[in-house]
Amino acid sequence: MIRGGRLVARALAANGPGTVFALCGDHITATLDGCPDERLRVVDARHEAGAGFMAEGWALATGEPGVAIVTGGPGLTNVLTPIADAASAGVPMVVITGAIRQSERGRGFPQDVDHLAAARPFTVWSDVVGSAETISLDVGEAFRQARARRGPVLLQVPLDVQLAQVEDPGAIEPPAPPRPDRVEQREVARAANTLRDAERPLAIVGEGAFWSGAAAAVRRFAETCGVPVFTVRAARGLLPDDHELAFGQPNFLGWLGQHAFPLADALLVVGCELDIVLAFGGIAPQARLVRLDSDVERAHRHRKPDVAVIADEASALDALTDALGAREDEAWIEELRVAAVGPETPPPDAPDLAAPPHSARLIDAVARAAGTPATFSIDAGELALWAIAGLPASGPGRLLTSFATPLATLGNGVPFAIAAKLARPEEPSIAVVGDGAFGLSAIEIDTAARHGIGIAVVVGNDAAWGIVKRQAEMGFGRSVAARLPGARYDRVAEGLGARGARVADLGSLDAGLNRAFDGAGPVVIDVRIDPEPVHPAMRFIAAMFAPDSG
């Protein structure tokens, strides 16, 4: 005989990554008890949101669904923000929640919450395990749904199901790999003809390509067809940033974006949402639009494509590469290379080594100290605007952020870094966070310290909620409740069992970072940054929230 909770653990081990993120609670004790016997590593967070963000970070780092296990009631409501963040970014994630016994529902027992109703707006699938005999099938279906629909799923396992004793069904077979999609060759031929006729084509590769495992397909397309490639969100690094045909994230506010997209005569968009980052499809209105996407709704949202190939992104891109073949666009590529080093705001000269560093100088120093390969996890905020542009994506899953998604959540930088270090323990994992964002996840430094997870956290400390403070001052002439104390976050880290260091001037920045990135354990580097420089994107952000001038 075997208990239901052990079967949950066995099914997670068969379908998932071997590591789960959790916070203990009455309603999941039986499942957690089964994890050691199934050789599942349990990383217990200090807050359910931390566990949820770690599961999301695992998925962003590896391309496979992350797993969070939380108790019922407030355990589930606490993890709703990571679930919503994963939904906003299209990240596959499996959340297992406990619950009171099925016979106790609606009778006033503690933590009796309608979990599925609470999570329904943010999940692509949810269900309740009604019997211990169906646990293996139900957990397997949760993973299948998360992978196929590329989003978070919720599976509720009531306490009576976890405690039930049933016949041991034996080992669980891991799922078979998905078969490649059939690609409509007629539409592929139309797409190839559109790009063949273009003189100045551009490609934007988005998150769908990452989840389809399209790194090899993206490189092959770029190198065979000679088309410049921009990558956005989870796709950063599918074509490494140092590749001669990679031009980073498409930013219509930046100099390269303002130069390149108005000149493009064909735009290939692969597995990418045309959201605000891409001006809702208006980033290159004059260009013929070709979409390769596994999601038919996304392929037609915001702007009607001239050609749409609906299939798995990796399969579709390989088919397009075969149909298009080699092209000669060296003049166009060289023009973009020149524009890429145009008059963007550079890190300022700082002869006064006593001055606090500019944010861009901090980001440059972090990139140099970390080396390659390394994973950077970027929280939201003004510092993130500099970091997303300035930190390199050296490969798939090595630049983790949800800032460029509709939810733009704060507080996930540290949990993302923890997950990335667990996924790739041999590589540096660095979180770059503002002082405001750090306050939302600082307690997870304790998680890293207890589990010996050697992340580095760089806190850009300007004593403010940067974006909010700036947009309030630009729009209202003052800011309210947007200032912070400039606290010693390195000392917070020391109190939680990690190392701490403070960098207060540019002269000690490089040395301080190099000492911190030695991998000897979690470390928090509190860096006093210059609060005066304003990122160029702030004008656009402030305008979205400004009072109506009319």
Side-chain angles (χ1 to χ4, degrees):
M1 301 295 284
I2 190 170
R3 211 178 291 281
R6 172 81 180 272
L7 284 177
V8 175
R10 182 176 295 176
L12 291 174
N15 288 275
T19 297
V20 298
F21 304 96
L23 198 156
C24 63
D26 298 340
H27 298 131
I28 57 170
T29 300
T31 291
L32 292 178
D33 180 69
C35 290
D37 294 329
E38 298 300 332
R39 294 184 173 87
L40 271 181
R41 179 175 187 175
V42 178
V43 178
D44 53 312
R46 289 295 304 273
H47 193 281
E48 284 90 359
F53 282 133
M54 290 173 202
E56 183 185 6
W58 180 280
L60 288 167
T62 66
E64 287 295 319
V67 178
I69 305 176
V70 299
T71 195
L76 184 278
T77 57
N78 281 343
V79 84
L80 283 179
T81 296
I83 290 174
D85 195 56
S88 176
V91 176
M93 183 169 84
V94 175
V95 177
I96 305 292
T97 180
I100 60 175
R101 292 173 173 84
Q102 295 174 91
S103 62
E104 297 171 347
R105 287 297 311 275
R107 296 172 57 192
F109 278 81
Q111 301 181 344
D112 183 3
V113 172
D114 190 341
H115 299 134
L116 270 61
R120 188 169 293 121
F122 312 115
T123 50
V124 296
W125 178 89
S126 58
D127 203 357
V128 177
V129 181
S131 166
E133 285 80 6
T134 67
I135 285 173
S136 298
L137 290 174
D138 292 338
V139 172
E141 181 64 12
F143 277 90
R144 191 188 75 80
Q145 291 284 349
R147 289 187 174 105
R149 301 172 70 175
R150 297 178 182 172
V153 303
L154 176 69
L155 186 64
Q156 176 179 303
V157 189
L159 184 58
D160 53 319
V161 173
Q162 295 178 62
L163 295 176
Q165 296 267 13
V166 296
E167 290 290 334
D168 191 335
I172 298 173
E173 288 294 322
R179 295 179 179 178
D181 284 357
R182 176 181 173 274
V183 182
E184 178 53 62
Q185 292 299 324
R186 184 175 62 178
E187 294 305 306
V188 170
R190 289 184 61 208
N193 289 336
T194 299
L195 294 175
R196 188 177 296 113
D197 293 341
E199 295 181 358
R200 295 178 300 280
L202 293 175
I204 299 175
V205 178
E207 57 276 13
F210 174 72
W211 302 117
S212 73
V218 172
R219 181 184 285 270
R220 179 170 170 260
F221 167 78
E223 295 176 350
T224 300
C225 305
V227 176
V229 173
F230 292 82
T231 52
V232 65
R233 290 182 286 271
R236 287 291 301 274
L238 287 181
L239 191 64
D241 283 355
D242 61 359
H243 192 282
E244 62 180 359
L245 289 169
F247 289 88
Q249 178 157 307
N251 179 6
F252 67 93
L253 293 170
W255 170 254
L256 179 58
Q258 292 179 31
H259 177 88
F261 291 107
L263 295 178
D265 54 2
L267 187 63
L268 172 67
V269 178
V270 183
C272 186
E273 186 74 65
L274 294 179
D275 58 15
I276 192 170
V277 174
L278 301 176
F280 302 106
I283 195 166
Q286 77 291 340
R288 289 178 60 78
L289 179 61
V290 176
R291 303 293 300 268
L292 308 186
D293 211 302
S294 59
D295 186 332
V296 64
E297 292 186 7
R298 180 169 59 193
H300 291 83
R301 195 157 41 232
H302 297 307
R303 179 177 168 186
K304 182 180 179 181
D306 295 284
V307 184
V309 180
I310 307 303
D312 168 78
E313 288 84 356
S315 301
L317 196 54
D318 273 334
L320 178 61
T321 301
D322 292 338
L324 180 56
R327 300 178 67 261
E328 292 294 334
D329 271 326
E330 190 55 42
W332 171 231
I333 294 168
E334 184 59 30
E335 187 176 350
L336 292 180
R337 288 177 185 147
V338 172
V341 292
E344 295 277 22
T345 304
D349 294 330
D352 182 4
L353 296 184
H358 186 292
S359 295
R361 292 296 295 268
L362 169 60
I363 297 305
D364 181 61
V366 169
R368 289 198 314 271
T372 300
T375 300
F376 299 101
S377 299
I378 304 171
D379 221 309
E382 188 174 15
L383 185 63
L385 297 171
W386 300 102
I388 288 173
L391 292 176
S394 61
R398 285 176 171 81
L399 190 67
L400 314 184
T401 184
S402 61
F403 187 37
T405 65
L407 201 63
T409 310
L410 282 169
N412 50 27
V414 173
F416 281 7
I418 289 173
K421 186 65 175 178
L422 290 168
R424 289 185 289 270
E426 72 286 355
E427 295 182 11
S429 179
I430 299 102
V432 177
V433 303
D435 48 343
F438 184 61
L440 276 73
S441 61
I443 195 62
E444 300 306 343
I445 297 300
D446 169 75
T447 303
R450 282 184 293 108
H451 290 273
I453 304 169
I455 62 169
V457 180
V458 179
V459 181
N461 191 340
D462 62 357
W465 295 94
I467 284 182
V468 175
K469 177 176 177 290
R470 295 201 194 281
Q471 66 92 0
E473 290 172 349
M474 290 177 178
F476 297 88
R478 64 179 181 180
S479 66
V480 178
R483 296 183 183 275
L484 292 168
R488 291 289 301 267
Y489 299 108
D490 54 318
R491 292 178 177 172
V492 172
E494 291 169 354
L496 293 172
R499 291 180 296 155
R502 178 168 244 211
V503 175
D505 59 77
L506 192 59
S508 58
L509 179 59
D510 287 350
L513 292 173
N514 287 330
R515 284 195 303 272
F517 292 173
D518 60 11
V523 59
V524 173
I525 309 105
D526 184 329
V527 183
R528 298 287 296 183
I529 55 175
D530 188 347
E532 296 303 321
V534 179
H535 192 279
M538 278 307 309
R539 293 189 298 273
F540 173 76
I541 294 171
M544 290 194 296
F545 301 98
D548 186 352
S549 59

